[in-house]
Amino acid sequence: MTQQNADALTKAFAAADQGDPAPLLDLYDDTMTWAGFTFDGTQRVYSKAEFLEGLGVLAKLDASANEVVSCDVIDDELVVAKIRAYRKLGEHELDITMVMGHRFVDGKVVRGNDLVPSSFEAFWSATGLAG
């Protein structure tokens, strides 16, 4: 089952990068919580709605892409994905590999977390979009 989840995750990210966010939205359970980074580099726990709202800032950028580089499957529920994240706004550019952990239940992500390098918050601070 976990390989199916990894494949679904990879396909959902690819669809979102092509302008179709529906598979990614469907993959995240409505009760999902996500331990992630704020644009200033601190961490917090997001609800699904808050997580998606945070992704909405990507529309303000000149360019944005997320590519699943690889996935490790762990037992029956866990998928750890290495994601190449690219962001560009004016002269500011970010090209990093981040790590996202996903816990699946019945084919849906119910818990998640991410880990990013320090250049993540430096980029957001430089763009003025960090809030």
Side-chain angles (χ1 to χ4, degrees):
M1 181 68 150
T2 305
Q3 187 58 51
Q4 290 172 324
N5 293 335
D7 293 344
L9 183 73
T10 300
K11 289 176 185 174
F13 267 92
D17 261 3
Q18 295 299 314
D20 180 11
L24 193 56
L25 296 175
D26 290 342
L27 199 60
Y28 294 134
D29 189 81
D30 288 341
T31 63
M32 174 198 85
T33 56
W34 192 271
F37 283 85
T38 63
F39 296 122
D40 68 3
T42 58
Q43 288 184 296
R44 63 168 284 213
V45 176
Y46 295 89
S47 68
K48 179 180 179 177
E50 292 168 326
F51 179 76
L52 296 175
E53 182 180 306
L55 291 177
V57 77
L58 299 179
K60 297 178 180 180
L61 301 177
D62 298 330
S64 173
N66 293 303
E67 175 192 2
V68 177
V69 176
S70 66
C71 287
D72 289 326
V73 295
I74 302 159
D75 296 328
D76 291 331
E77 296 181 346
L78 305 178
V79 176
V80 178
K82 284 176 48 179
I83 310 284
R84 178 180 175 241
Y86 177 78
R87 311 284 185 263
K88 182 171 181 15
L89 182 63
E91 65 199 39
H92 306 289
E93 192 170 28
L94 177 70
D95 193 352
I96 60 170
T97 299
M98 62 187 292
V99 177
M100 298 175 80
H102 306 82
R103 185 170 85 187
F104 283 82
V105 173
D106 297 327
K108 298 274 192 174
V109 176
V110 296
R111 300 282 179 270
N113 67 320
D114 56 46
L115 191 59
V116 296
S118 60
S119 55
F120 176 87
E121 61 258 26
F123 168 80
W124 291 106
S125 177
T127 66
L129 295 175

